């Protein structure tokens, strides 16, 4: 596609509900990143894929967070048993190579009520 | 550890020049990025420095000193639309962002 696509754009979840956030990277981009961004803060790193391999998941805040990219293209970030503190914008970015710039999707704004 | 520092907020006047500084301490280094982010929008790429020196792109320039762990973004001929947050980011394998500098432009 022309750019990084994320869906849904907005998600309201009841506390305790599971959610799945989707990211469609730019075609051919090898690297894929997930970030969490709270209001007024910079993006906080969650996890990173090189093709289908999850090379770094050190930023995932708890074992309720899980990410996958099974075929090295589309990625899904899953949050189980959502809590209010999970409310944030979740940004996905992709890049062509290890030393290239990353391009961001529009993000998914998750609100847990 | 990983640490990227930049000022929280800056204010400048339309038509003026502003310099936003960034210092970093990271375990690896494969380049430094600057991104612009308007409220409610995704970050957009501005510049990429991997070697020391100044990269100029229109009204925006970015400088890097790897030995000092230091970069700055220089914005010239400021316009009201430049009011945004500016994010400094460093890549080793993953890309780590600073907390961003919110730039306010006064008429």
């Amino acid at each position: 596609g022309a750019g990084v696509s994320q869906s849904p754009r907005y998600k309201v979840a009841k506390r305790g509900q599971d959610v799945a956030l989707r990211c469609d990277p730019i075609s051919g981009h090898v690297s894929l990143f997930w970030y969490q961004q709270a209001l007024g803060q910079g993006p906080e790193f969650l996890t990173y894929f090189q093709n289908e391999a999850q090379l770094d998941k050190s930023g995932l805040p708890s074992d309720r967070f899980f990410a996958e990219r099974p075929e090295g293209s589309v990625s899904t970030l899953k949050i189980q048993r959502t809590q209010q503190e999970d409310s944030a914008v979740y940004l996905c970015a992709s890049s062509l190579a290890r030393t290239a710039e990353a391009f961001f999707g529009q993000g998914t704004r998750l609100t847990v009520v | 550890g990983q640490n990227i520092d930049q000022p929280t907020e800056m204010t400048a006047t339309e038509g003026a020049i502003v310099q936003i500084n960034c210092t970093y301490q990271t375990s690896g280094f494969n380049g430094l990025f600057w991104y612009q982010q308007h409220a409610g929008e995704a970050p957009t790429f501005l510049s990429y420095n991997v070697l020391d020196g100044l990269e100029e792109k229109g009204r925006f320039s970015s400088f890097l000193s790897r030995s000092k762990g230091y970069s700055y973004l220089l914005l010239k001929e400021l316009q009201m639309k430049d009011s945004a947050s500016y994010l400094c980011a460093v890549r080793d394998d993953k890309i780590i962002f600073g907390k961003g500098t919110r730039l306010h432009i006064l008429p």
Side-chain angles (χ1 to χ4, degrees):
Chain A
V4 179
S5 178
Q6 291 187 246
S7 60
R9 285 293 311 278
Y10 303 92
K11 176 70 179 178
V12 178
K14 291 184 178 178
R15 191 170 52 182
Q17 187 179 351
D18 296 350
V19 298
L21 313 181
R22 177 188 169 104
C23 174
D24 246 298
I26 295 172
S27 179
H29 277 200
V30 170
S31 300
L32 186 145
F33 307 86
W34 282 100
Y35 294 88
Q36 181 190 61
Q37 187 171 30
L39 193 63
Q41 300 294 312
E44 291 281 345
F45 172 80
L46 293 177
T47 187
Y48 159 55
F49 291 85
Q50 188 90 333
N51 297 304
E52 68 279 4
Q54 189 175 21
L55 297 187
D56 191 324
K57 55 181 180 179
S58 62
L60 296 176
S62 77
D63 58 8
R64 296 187 294 105
F65 286 70
F66 172 77
E68 61 183 4
R69 193 186 185 197
E71 297 178 358
S73 178
V74 171
S75 177
T76 304
L77 176 67
K78 297 179 180 178
I79 309 173
Q80 297 177 324
R81 305 181 302 282
T82 51
Q83 304 294 314
Q84 280 193 310
E85 61 262 30
D86 300 335
S87 295
V89 175
Y90 290 85
L91 293 167
C92 175
S94 70
S95 71
L96 186 58
R98 290 182 62 214
T99 55
E101 70 269 27
F103 296 89
F104 282 84
Q106 289 299 305
T108 295
R109 182 177 297 276
L110 173 65
T111 304
V112 181
V113 297
Chain B
Q2 318 267 46
N3 194 44
I4 300 174
D5 285 318
Q6 50 182 130
T8 303
E9 283 190 274
M10 299 183 70
T11 301
T13 305
E14 191 176 14
I17 299 173
V18 70
Q19 177 174 313
I20 304 174
N21 295 324
C22 171
T23 58
Y24 64 91
Q25 291 174 305
T26 56
S27 54
F29 185 83
N30 275 325
L32 186 143
F33 303 95
W34 285 95
Y35 282 83
Q36 181 191 60
Q37 187 176 28
H38 285 99
E41 298 182 10
T44 55
F45 170 76
L46 288 178
S47 68
Y48 173 49
N49 294 70
V50 63
L51 300 175
D52 291 352
L54 187 67
E55 296 279 343
E56 297 187 77
K57 192 187 293 184
R59 295 189 298 114
F60 293 4
S61 303
S62 57
F63 172 83
L64 175 67
S65 169
R66 289 171 296 170
S67 63
K68 295 182 179 178
Y70 168 69
S71 173
Y72 67 73
L73 180 68
L74 191 71
L75 293 76
K76 303 176 186 176
E77 301 168 17
L78 286 170
Q79 303 175 7
M80 296 304 292
K81 67 178 182 180
D82 298 329
S83 292
S85 287
Y86 291 85
L87 303 166
C88 175
V90 173
R91 182 159 195 177
D92 46 21
D93 270 343
K94 61 194 179 192
I95 302 177
I96 301 297
F97 283 83
K99 295 189 183 302
T101 299
R102 194 172 307 171
L103 178 63
H104 304 278
I105 309 295
L106 302 177

